[in-house]
C-alpha cells in the first residue's frame, strides 16, 4: 500500500483534541488512540467501509476479527444479541478496564468487525483519553492494536508512527500506555468460560468471579496441525523478531552462566533491569525481576529495540507463568516461536 496521506499527530492535552479526533472518526477515517493497554487503531464500529480501512492499513488478515470499544455501558446492548449471565458479574468487577468479553453479536455489528463470526469482542477501556474520544465520536469504535500486523503492539504514539505513518489520518498522543500488553480476552459464550488471551486481568481474578475458567491450550502451546483456533488471532504468527529468540527458563545465576558460555558477536540478552552488568553481551531490559507489571509495561518497547539493533540471536529471561506473568509469558513465547531451554 502506498503511503499517500499525511498522518497528523494530535496531542491529547490540546483543548480541541477530542473534538478533532471525533470528527475524523465520524467521517469514516482512522485515528490511532491510546488505551490503558496499548494504542488502538480506531474506526466507527458501525461503518463497515471505515472498518475495512483498518485491515488495509495494518495488513491484517481479513479473517481476524476486531474488538469493539465502548465509552459507557449504554452502548453495549445494541451490539449484543443476548447477554450471558456471567457478563454482568465481569462488568461490575472489571469494567472499565483491560478485559475483553466475547459475546453473541447482534445483526447491527458489521461483518467487517466480526470477520464473519457469530460473536463480537467488546471492551470498555479505562483510559480517560480513549473514553473521551469514544464520547466525541458518538459511536463505539472498532480497534485492533495500532501496529503493522506482525510487529509488536505499540505502547507510545512514536511506535504507531513507526508502523503506520502515511497510512492513517491521525494519531492521538496520550503518552505511554500504563499496562503495556493487550487486554485479557475471555469467551463467555461457552461453558466453562474460556481464557483466550491472558492480560492484566488475571486468570486468578477471573476465577474468583466466575468459578471455573478454562485456559485455552493455545495460550501457552503451539496449535497442533489441523487444530481449530478458538480465537482467529491465535493462528497467526504474532510478532516474529528479526533475531532468533530463545527463552532460558531458570534462575539468574544459571541464566548468566548460559549466556556467558554462548556469548558471541550479534548475540544479545533480553534480561531484567540491573542484570546487564553480569553479562558479556549487549543487553536490552524489560522490567525488574520480581515486577511482572513492569515487565508487561516495557516488553514491547524492548522487542522493538532488539529489532532496531539487528542481533541474530537473543537469549531472554523467562517470566513466571502466574498472575500478570502469564500474559508476559504468552507474548514472549510467541516471539520465541515456542523455543524454551530449561536450565533447571
Ligand atoms: O488491549 C487490547 O485488547 C487492544 C486495545 C487497542 O484495546 N486491542 C487489541 O486488539 O489487542 P487486537 O485486534 O490486536 O487483538 C484482538 C484479539 C485477536 O486475537 C482476535 O482474534 C481476538 O481478539 N478476537 C476478536 N474478536 C473475536 C471473537 N469474536 N472471537 C474470538 N476472538 C476474537
Ligand atoms: Mg494485535
Amino acid at each position: 500500500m502506498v503511503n499517500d496521506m499525511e498522518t497528523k499527530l494530535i496531542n491529547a492535552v490540546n483543548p480541541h483534541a477530542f473534538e478533532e479526533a471525533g470528527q475524523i472518526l465520524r467521517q469514516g477515517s482512522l485515528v490511532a488512540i491510546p488505551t490503558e493497554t496499548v494504542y488502538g487503531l480506531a474506526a466507527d464500529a458501525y461503518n463497515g467501509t471505515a472498518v475495512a480501512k483498518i485491515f488495509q492499513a495494518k495488513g491484517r488478515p481479513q479473517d481476524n476479527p476486531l474488538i469493539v470499544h465502548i465509552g459507557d455501558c449504554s452502548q453495549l446492548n445494541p451490539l449484543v444479541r443476548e447477554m450471558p449471565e456471567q457478563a454482568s458479574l465481569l462488568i461490575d468487577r472489571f469494567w472499565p478496564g483491560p478485559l475483553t468479553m466475547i459475546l453473541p453479536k447482534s445483526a447491527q455489528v458489521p461483518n467487517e468487525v466480526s470477520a464473519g463470526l457469530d460473536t463480537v469482542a467488546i471492551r470498555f477501556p479505562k483510559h480517560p483519553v480513549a473514553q473521551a474520544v469514544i464520547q466525541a465520536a458518538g459511536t463505539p469504535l472498532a480497534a485492533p492494536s495500532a501496529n503493522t500486523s506482525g510487529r509488536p503492539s505499540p505502547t507510545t504514539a512514536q511506535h504507531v508512527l513507526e508502523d503506520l505513518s502515511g497510512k492513517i489520518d491521525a494519531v492521538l498522543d496520550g503518552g505511554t500506555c500504563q499496562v503495556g500488553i493487550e487486554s485479557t480476552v475471555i469467551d463467555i459464550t461457552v461453558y466453562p468460560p474460556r481464557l483466550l488471551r491472558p492480560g492484566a486481568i488475571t486468570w486468578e481474578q477471573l476465577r474468583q468471579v466466575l468459578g471455573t475458567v478454562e485456559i485455552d491450550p493455545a495460550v501457552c502451546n503451539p496449535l497442533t496441525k489441523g487444530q481449530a483456533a478458538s480465537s482467529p488471532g491465535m493462528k497467526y504468527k504474532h510478532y516474529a523478531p528479526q533475531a532468533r529468540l530463545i527463552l532460558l527458563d531458570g534462575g539468574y545465576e544459571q541464566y548468566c552462566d548460559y549466556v556467558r558460555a554462548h556469548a558471541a558477536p550479534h548475540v544479545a540478552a533480553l534480561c531484567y533491569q540491573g542484570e546487564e552488568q553480569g553479562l558479556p553481551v549487549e543487553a536490552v531490559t524489560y522490567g525488574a525481576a520480581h515486577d511482572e507489571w513492569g515487565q508487561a509495561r516495557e516488553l514491547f518497547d524492548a522487542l522493538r529495540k532488539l529489532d532496531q539493533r539487528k542481533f541474530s540471536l537473543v537469549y531472554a529471561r523467562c517470566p513466571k507463568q502466574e498472575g500478570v506473568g502469564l500474559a508476559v509469558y504468552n507474548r514472549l513465547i510467541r516471539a520465541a516461536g515456542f523455543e524454551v531451554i530449561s536450565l533447571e
Side-chain angles (χ1 to χ4, degrees):
M1 183 184 164
V2 283
N3 295 5
D4 56 358
M5 60 174 92
E6 194 181 330
T7 301
K8 185 164 187 189
L9 185 63
I10 306 170
N11 194 320
V13 300
N14 174 331
H16 303 295
F18 303 130
E19 203 183 302
E20 194 178 352
Q23 199 184 352
I24 298 171
L25 289 160
R26 279 197 305 278
Q27 284 166 359
S29 297
L30 307 183
V31 182
I33 63 168
T35 81
E36 70 275 27
T37 56
V38 299
Y39 275 72
L41 180 57
D44 176 353
Y46 287 121
N47 180 341
T49 313
V51 172
K53 294 180 190 170
I54 293 177
F55 288 83
Q56 226 200 335
K58 279 182 59 90
R60 184 178 176 100
Q62 298 287 340
D63 67 346
N64 196 4
L66 307 178
I67 298 172
V68 177
H69 297 69
I70 58 173
D72 65 65
C73 284
S74 70
Q75 291 178 325
L76 180 59
N77 270 328
L79 294 163
V80 176
R81 191 172 64 242
E82 62 184 30
M83 204 62 84
E85 224 174 272
Q86 281 132 333
S88 59
L89 298 173
L90 293 175
I91 291 169
D92 287 350
R93 178 80 165 75
F94 301 116
W95 274 9
L99 178 71
T100 297
M101 285 193 280
I102 309 293
L103 295 163
K105 105 179 173 78
S106 81
Q108 261 148 285
V109 177
N111 268 328
E112 286 85 350
V113 171
S114 54
L117 297 179
D118 195 31
T119 53
V120 60
I122 305 184
R123 168 160 120 79
F124 180 179
K126 193 169 190 158
H127 199 298
V129 172
Q131 292 183 1
V133 180
I134 300 168
Q135 295 299 341
T139 174
L141 300 175
S145 50
N147 51 295
T148 298
S149 269
R151 294 267 294 146
S153 293
T155 55
T156 65
Q158 194 50 46
H159 292 166
V160 177
L161 289 173
E162 275 169 27
D163 285 10
L164 299 178
S165 183
K167 298 182 178 177
I168 61 176
D169 284 76
V171 181
L172 189 56
D173 187 352
T176 302
C177 301
Q178 284 303 302
V179 174
I181 52 171
E182 310 88 340
S183 62
T184 304
V185 179
I186 186 167
D187 186 352
I188 54 170
T189 67
V190 293
Y191 189 82
R194 185 170 274 250
L195 180 67
L196 302 184
R197 181 174 72 183
I201 305 297
T202 64
W203 176 62
E204 293 84 346
Q205 284 178 297
L206 292 167
R207 285 173 60 198
Q208 275 172 12
V209 175
L210 299 177
T212 318
V213 177
E214 264 179 19
I215 301 182
D216 195 282
V219 164
C220 292
N221 304 289
L223 281 173
T224 50
K225 235 184 169 179
Q227 189 186 351
S230 307
S231 182
M234 291 168 168
K235 276 196 315 227
Y236 296 105
K237 190 155 186 191
H238 253 233
Y239 155 71
Q242 283 167 16
R244 177 176 173 205
L245 188 111
I246 301 176
L247 300 190
L248 299 183
D249 191 10
Y252 173 56
E253 292 301 328
Q254 293 159 312
Y255 176 80
C256 288
D257 288 346
Y258 191 95
V259 174
R260 274 192 213 110
H262 294 81
H266 306 295
V267 169
L270 177 59
C271 61
Y272 300 133
Q273 271 157 26
E275 295 181 346
E276 309 93 301
Q277 290 87 335
L279 298 168
V281 297
E282 284 196 67
V284 171
T285 65
Y286 75 107
H290 298 290
D291 174 16
E292 60 266 31
W293 286 95
Q295 293 163 19
R297 194 165 54 244
E298 294 178 14
L299 178 66
F300 288 143
D301 184 60
L303 293 175
R304 280 178 182 260
K305 281 185 184 138
L306 286 170
D307 271 347
Q308 274 163 9
R309 289 163 65 177
K310 303 206 185 321
F311 300 109
S312 57
L313 178 58
V314 176
Y315 291 118
R317 287 278 260 145
C318 184
K320 280 219 177 72
Q321 295 169 52
E322 292 165 12
V324 179
L326 179 66
V328 179
Y329 178 80
N330 167 268
R331 307 314 189 270
L332 258 176
I333 192 113
R334 281 173 167 66
F338 296 93
E339 206 174 348
V340 185
I341 294 174
S342 174
L343 304 178
E344 299 295 335

